[in-house]
Amino acid sequence: RSVYDDQPNAHQRFMEKLDACIRNHDREIEKMCNFHHQGFVDAITELLKVRADAEKLKVQVTDTNRRLQDAGKEVIAQTEEIIRCRVQQRNITTVVEKLQLCLPVLEMYSKLKEQMNVKRYYSALKTMEQLENLYLPRVSQYRFCQIMIENLPKLREEIKEISMSDLKDFLESIRKHSDRIGETAMKQAQQQKTFSTALQKQNNVNYGRNMHLGRSRIMESKHEITLKRTFEEDDEHEEEVLTAQDLVDFSPVYRCLHIYSVLGDGEIFENYYRKQRRKQARLVLQPQSSMHETVEGYRRYFSQIVGFFVVEDHILHVTQGLVTRTYTDELWNMALSKIIAVLRTHSSYCSDPDLVLELKNLIVVFADTLQGYGFPVNRLFDLLFEIRDQYNETLLKKWSGLFRDIFEADNYSPIPVANEEEYKIVISKFPFQDPELDKQSFPKKLPMSQSVPQIYIQVKEFIYASLKFSESLHRSSTEIDDMLRKSTNLLLTRTLSSCLQNLIKKPHIGLTELVQIIINTTHLEQACKYLEDFISNITNISQVTVHTARLYGLSTFKDARHAAEGEIYTKLNQKIDEFIQIADYDWTMSESDGRASGYLMDLINFLRSTFQVFTHLPGKVAQTACMSACQHLSTSLMQMLLDSELKQISMGAIQQFNLDVIQCELFASSEPVPGFQGDTLQLAFIDLRQSSQTDELIVLCYVRNYETTVILVDRLPLLSSNLFVLLNTRMKDSSKKNNIFAQFRKNDRDKQKLIETVVKQLRSLVNGMSQHT
């Protein structure tokens, strides 16, 4: 520092001290080098020794590095693929997260649009509030959210305009409350009618009623009590909502009428009011396109109409000159024609009987309500008779499905009863009487299957359902009885008959099921008289009345039995054809097996077991089925023998066929079904027996002389003669193929000449008989 301060001789002294310091350091370096010189020499020596090893190591490291780089290329490629996949995964996760944020916004906006479409404006406002405060801020950076934000104020303005338009004037207020006014008026009318009906029934109890009528009345009373409770609950909630004046503020019309009257323009106001009300009447009378789908649609329609005319009746009585009785009558006649046309159209779409019944009840309440206000309603009750026919049609369709379900679920076997209790349960459902069966001990079986009592119960339920529509129509008991019998006849002769015919024709119905169906229809036919008694009991009309209709169920069940019998004959023949198809005759066999064919024995065993099932059938049915089966079997065997594809036949085959014919005759003679006279059943195989005689003749042609053969030929009928010629031709073909050297033996040539002579004689006999015929 003194050097830089320019002290005297400072620089020289500094250099001296610096040289002294350098010499000190040199001495220390020299000492250190001397101390480490030997070690340095040793290290250099060692380093020279390591040089060779280092060169080798360098080569190895270079090779190892090269191989490592080659091996790492695939790892690098896989690593890059993993990185790319992870980037994609991260992008997908990001997209999912963004979509999860966006989806609630879109769902809420869709919900808003739906609420706007269905005019749920209050809910739409709530939805918009949630969108603005909760959902849109989360995704405000997206363009579609900005569009939504811009549309929300417009939607608010639209809601405000629509809401304000519904409250503009007094007429809109009347139209808004007309359905509620009508609903209240209809409830009051129904309560009054229920009260009157209850009083009348209470008086009728003292005279006594039959059990079936009592059951119907009790069910109706329970229904009415339920209705009373419903009305009482409604009154608790609507104690103040009882009249049109309580629901609608009529002060505007009073004020307008007074002002226009003072100004001298009362007539103008009256004309305007009536014109607007006519327009509203046309709107009220215009039904919704889907009104026929639910009872609520009809109820709303009737409520609006009742409310409209209740308001007009109120205006008629509280004002002077605004509306007149002539005006309301004219308006009602116009409305009544429109109502009847609408009900005719929409009721024709109803396929549910419960809906048609509820529609009828609504029409009755509707008519009673307006009748109480002085409007004529006779045309509505006339319309109910048209709807009654449609109601019966819907009932028939419904019961057609019920019958089909019952038939599908039936097992077609006799009903087993294990004890007295089960027996009484069945008897309580179906009027069955059999003294012989009563004597048997338990367990036992009733002859009919489960479907019989179920069908009987459903027919009674149909009568009850048909009776429900006839109530409250202001008709006499005789007319109701006639309605029930006509509708029941339609159920039996059309619906049940069609279901039975379709059931019989189904391919899965076998012989056992057909037998059970015949038994079932017999018992249902016997139960028809109990159904007539049932109808007489619930209508309190005696069957001896001159104009009382009768049920036509007898013909229905007879036709079903005839169809089942015909199906039995058809299925038996089909089963026989199945056995015939598996017949495997070796028409070239040299000798027969000595016993009947296996397929034929199986067929005969099947027929025996089948005819045992026919023991419960009427005798003629079983006998006809047996005769038909035997004739079909005979015809099938004959057709097999005369098949045009059969080109040759041997003596052994004819003998085997003859054994089968013998088994058929033995089966017929064993009387598989009792009741045949003499050999009646065996006559079914007469043609096959003639063919057996033909077989014998062919045998004689081969083993006997000419004279004996000629005698037998004269005794053959025409059929056997034809058969002989045909079989002999085929046997000649077979003989030629089996023995091509027979023409060189004298005995064979003589036998062949004998056969040819007999064939010529038979052909001349056949031709002569054909010409004579």
Side-chain angles (χ1 to χ4, degrees):
R1 180 178 180 184
S2 61
V3 175
Y4 296 100
D5 290 341
D6 296 332
Q7 292 181 4
N9 301 321
H11 179 72
Q12 183 178 1
R13 287 195 299 272
F14 172 75
M15 291 301 296
E16 291 175 357
K17 290 181 180 181
L18 182 61
D19 292 336
C21 185
I22 291 172
R23 287 191 297 270
N24 291 333
H25 282 294
D26 288 338
R27 284 193 297 268
E28 290 177 359
I29 290 172
E30 184 178 357
K31 289 178 182 181
M32 185 177 295
C33 288
N34 292 331
F35 180 78
H36 292 288
H37 176 74
Q38 187 62 38
F40 174 75
V41 173
D42 295 338
I44 293 299
T45 303
E46 187 67 24
L47 182 61
L48 292 175
K49 294 179 180 180
V50 173
R51 176 183 297 179
D53 295 334
E55 291 294 333
K56 294 180 181 178
L57 180 60
K58 180 179 178 180
V59 172
Q60 293 178 356
V61 169
T62 302
D63 183 64
T64 302
N65 179 62
R66 180 182 55 76
R67 287 187 284 108
L68 182 61
Q69 291 296 327
D70 294 340
K73 289 180 181 179
E74 184 177 356
V75 176
I76 292 173
Q78 295 293 330
T79 303
E80 291 176 353
E81 181 68 19
I82 292 174
I83 292 173
R84 186 177 63 81
C85 292
R86 287 184 177 176
V87 171
Q88 290 180 351
Q89 183 179 7
R90 185 171 60 253
N91 293 339
I92 292 172
T93 303
T94 303
V95 171
V96 171
E97 292 175 355
K98 298 300 182 181
L99 286 177
Q100 288 176 347
L101 289 176
C102 295
L103 282 178
V105 177
L106 297 175
E107 290 175 356
M108 291 297 292
Y109 195 79
S110 176
K111 180 181 178 182
L112 172 62
K113 286 294 187 180
E114 182 180 356
Q115 290 169 342
M116 293 290 294
N117 293 334
V118 298
K119 298 182 180 181
R120 295 173 54 191
Y121 301 117
Y122 180 77
S123 300
L125 288 173
K126 290 292 185 182
T127 304
M128 280 191 282
E129 183 178 354
Q130 292 179 357
L131 273 173
E132 286 181 334
N133 299 330
L134 183 61
Y135 292 98
L136 288 177
R138 300 176 182 175
V139 289
S140 58
Q141 68 273 20
Y142 298 111
R143 183 180 177 184
F144 74 90
C145 293
Q146 297 298 327
I147 296 175
M148 289 182 184
I149 294 173
E150 294 174 0
N151 287 337
L152 289 181
K154 298 179 182 178
L155 291 176
R156 278 200 177 90
E157 291 299 324
E158 181 182 353
I159 291 174
K160 288 166 66 176
E161 292 175 1
I162 295 174
S163 300
M164 291 302 296
S165 65
D166 292 338
L167 300 175
K168 283 184 178 180
D169 51 30
F170 169 73
L171 295 176
E172 286 296 328
S173 177
I174 292 177
R175 182 182 177 185
K176 179 180 178 181
H177 293 90
S178 61
D179 55 345
R180 192 175 180 188
I181 296 171
E183 183 180 357
T184 303
M186 291 174 69
K187 284 184 178 180
Q188 291 175 347
Q190 191 169 8
Q191 286 177 350
Q192 184 177 1
K193 180 181 178 182
T194 302
F195 181 73
S196 301
T197 304
L199 287 179
Q200 182 180 1
K201 291 177 182 178
Q202 184 66 26
N203 295 331
N204 291 336
V205 169
N206 298 328
Y207 297 99
R209 309 292 285 179
N210 58 68
M211 294 301 295
H212 295 286
L213 183 58
R215 176 187 173 187
S216 176
R217 300 297 189 185
I218 290 171
M219 292 176 62
E220 185 177 355
S221 298
K222 291 180 179 179
H223 178 64
E224 292 166 352
I225 292 172
T226 304
L227 289 175
K228 286 183 180 179
R229 292 175 179 174
T230 303
F231 298 151
E232 291 173 358
E233 293 176 357
D234 292 340
D235 292 340
E236 291 177 359
H237 294 287
E238 302 179 7
E239 293 180 355
E240 299 181 357
V241 184
L242 297 175
T243 64
Q245 193 170 2
D246 297 322
L247 293 170
V248 180
D249 182 14
F250 287 91
S251 58
V253 74
Y254 301 151
R255 288 193 301 268
C256 290
L257 178 61
H258 178 69
I259 292 172
Y260 273 80
S261 299
V262 172
L263 295 176
D265 295 331
E267 185 177 354
I268 295 176
F269 175 74
E270 291 174 6
N271 293 334
Y272 174 80
Y273 175 82
R274 295 180 183 181
K275 180 179 179 181
Q276 294 299 318
R277 289 297 282 168
R278 283 192 178 94
K279 289 182 179 179
Q280 288 189 348
R282 294 188 182 96
L283 293 176
V284 168
L285 294 172
Q286 187 67 30
Q288 295 182 356
S289 59
S290 60
M291 184 181 71
H292 61 278
E293 295 178 356
T294 60
V295 68
E296 290 300 325
Y298 288 107
R299 182 176 287 111
R300 191 180 306 109
Y301 179 70
F302 289 136
S303 297
Q304 290 177 352
I305 296 174
V306 171
F308 178 89
F309 283 99
V310 167
V311 169
E312 291 303 292
D313 183 77
H314 179 78
I315 295 293
L316 174 66
H317 288 88
V318 299
T319 62
Q320 295 180 355
L322 184 57
V323 295
T324 62
R325 175 58 66 182
T326 303
Y327 161 77
T328 55
D329 289 344
E330 178 186 353
L331 198 60
W332 168 247
N333 289 331
M334 181 272 294
L336 185 59
S337 300
K338 180 66 175 178
I339 291 169
I340 292 176
V342 167
L343 291 178
R344 280 199 183 112
T345 301
H346 283 265
S347 63
S348 63
Y349 299 144
C350 296
S351 58
D352 183 8
D354 296 332
L355 180 59
V356 178
L357 182 61
E358 291 180 352
L359 173 61
K360 168 257 175 183
N361 293 331
L362 282 177
I363 294 176
V364 171
V365 175
F366 173 75
D368 292 342
T369 302
L370 290 176
Q371 190 175 24
Y373 284 92
F375 297 100
V377 294
N378 293 332
R379 293 171 62 187
L380 286 175
F381 284 100
D382 294 337
L383 174 66
L384 285 175
F385 279 90
E386 299 178 16
I387 298 178
R388 182 202 63 192
D389 297 333
Q390 180 188 349
Y391 174 71
N392 287 335
E393 290 297 325
T394 57
L395 283 181
L396 293 175
K397 291 181 181 179
K398 179 180 179 180
W399 257 257
S400 176
L402 293 174
F403 289 153
R404 287 195 300 268
D405 294 340
I406 291 174
F407 289 140
E408 288 294 334
D410 195 8
N411 57 5
Y412 296 99
S413 59
I415 301 176
V417 287
N419 48 49
E420 184 71 21
E421 183 179 355
E422 293 182 3
Y423 181 75
K424 290 181 179 180
I425 291 175
V426 177
I427 297 302
S428 64
K429 297 178 181 178
F430 181 76
F432 174 74
Q433 296 178 355
D434 189 349
E436 296 296 330
L437 186 62
D438 292 340
K439 296 178 183 179
Q440 299 178 12
S441 59
F442 292 99
K444 53 188 175 183
K445 292 184 178 181
L446 303 182
M448 64 278 191
S449 65
Q450 291 286 353
S451 62
V452 173
Q454 293 176 0
I455 292 293
Y456 183 78
I457 291 173
Q458 288 302 324
V459 173
K460 292 173 66 176
E461 292 296 330
F462 175 86
I463 296 172
Y464 274 126
S466 182
L467 176 65
K468 289 179 181 179
F469 195 92
S470 302
E471 297 173 347
S472 305
L473 293 184
H474 311 296
R475 297 293 173 176
S476 64
S477 299
T478 304
E479 291 177 308
I480 294 176
D481 182 88
D482 185 62
M483 295 177 193
L484 293 181
R485 293 180 183 274
K486 288 181 179 179
S487 59
T488 306
N489 277 328
L490 284 176
L491 178 71
L492 296 177
T493 58
R494 194 173 73 182
T495 305
L496 183 56
S497 176
S498 176
C499 291
L500 284 171
Q501 295 293 339
N502 293 335
L503 173 68
I504 292 170
K505 297 298 182 182
K506 288 187 176 181
H508 70 273
I509 297 297
L511 294 172
T512 305
E513 288 82 0
L514 290 171
V515 171
Q516 189 62 54
I517 290 173
I518 294 176
I519 298 172
N520 290 348
T521 53
T522 302
H523 288 283
L524 287 172
E525 179 182 346
Q526 296 171 357
C528 285
K529 61 180 181 180
Y530 297 99
L531 290 176
E532 291 188 345
D533 295 338
F534 175 74
I535 295 175
S536 298
N537 288 335
I538 63 177
T539 58
N540 202 26
I541 298 296
S542 176
Q543 295 188 38
V544 298
T545 305
V546 177
H547 301 289
T548 301
R550 293 288 181 262
L551 297 182
Y552 305 139
L554 299 178
S555 60
T556 297
F557 299 120
K558 286 181 180 178
D559 294 341
R561 276 202 303 277
H562 292 328
E565 293 169 5
E567 196 67 18
I568 286 177
Y569 307 149
T570 301
K571 287 188 178 294
L572 267 178
N573 292 343
Q574 291 176 352
K575 199 66 178 178
I576 291 174
D577 291 339
E578 292 177 5
F579 279 97
I580 293 297
Q581 288 177 358
I582 63 175
D584 187 17
Y585 281 104
D586 184 6
W587 298 108
T588 60
M589 64 171 59
S590 57
E591 295 181 359
S592 67
D593 296 338
R595 60 180 182 276
S597 301
Y599 85 93
L600 186 68
M601 298 305 298
D602 293 339
L603 173 57
I604 290 175
N605 293 332
F606 164 75
L607 293 177
R608 290 185 190 278
S609 61
T610 301
F611 292 144
Q612 289 177 358
V613 181
F614 290 1
T615 54
H616 298 291
L617 290 177
K620 292 184 179 180
V621 177
Q623 293 172 10
T624 304
C626 184
M627 176 59 75
S628 174
C630 291
Q631 290 177 346
H632 186 73
L633 174 59
S634 176
T635 302
S636 299
L637 291 175
M638 183 63 71
Q639 290 176 352
M640 184 187 302
L641 194 62
L642 300 177
D643 188 2
S644 59
E645 296 181 359
L646 183 60
K647 301 303 181 180
Q648 59 182 2
I649 187 172
S650 65
M651 285 298 302
I654 291 179
Q655 293 171 0
Q656 181 65 40
F657 191 82
N658 188 37
L659 292 175
D660 293 343
V661 174
I662 293 173
Q663 285 298 327
C664 293
E665 292 176 335
L666 292 176
F667 169 72
S669 62
S670 65
E671 197 175 8
V673 173
F676 285 105
Q677 298 292 333
D679 297 337
T680 303
L681 187 59
Q682 298 181 29
L683 294 177
F685 298 100
I686 185 64
D687 293 339
L688 285 178
R689 173 47 51 208
Q690 293 178 4
S691 69
S692 298
Q693 294 177 358
T694 303
D695 300 341
E696 294 174 0
L697 176 60
I698 293 175
V699 174
L700 287 175
C701 288
Y702 281 90
V703 299
R704 294 189 179 180
N705 56 20
Y706 174 76
E707 290 78 7
T708 305
T709 304
V710 172
I711 294 174
L712 289 175
V713 167
D714 293 336
R715 297 178 182 176
L716 284 178
L718 179 60
L719 175 62
S720 295
S721 300
N722 281 310
L723 183 61
F724 174 85
V725 174
L726 177 62
L727 293 179
N728 181 71
T729 302
R730 293 173 179 174
M731 290 186 66
K732 286 172 61 180
D733 295 339
S734 176
S735 298
K736 289 179 180 179
K737 292 182 179 181
N738 292 333
N739 192 357
I740 59 176
F741 298 102
Q743 55 183 340
F744 299 107
R745 294 194 293 269
K746 184 177 184 303
N747 293 335
D748 292 334
R749 289 197 303 271
D750 295 341
K751 186 184 298 184
Q752 187 67 29
K753 291 180 180 179
L754 174 61
I755 293 174
E756 291 175 356
T757 303
V758 173
V759 169
K760 289 179 181 178
Q761 183 179 359
L762 285 173
R763 284 178 177 167
S764 61
L765 176 63
V766 170
N767 293 332
M769 294 180 67
S770 299
Q771 293 175 1
H772 179 72
T773 303

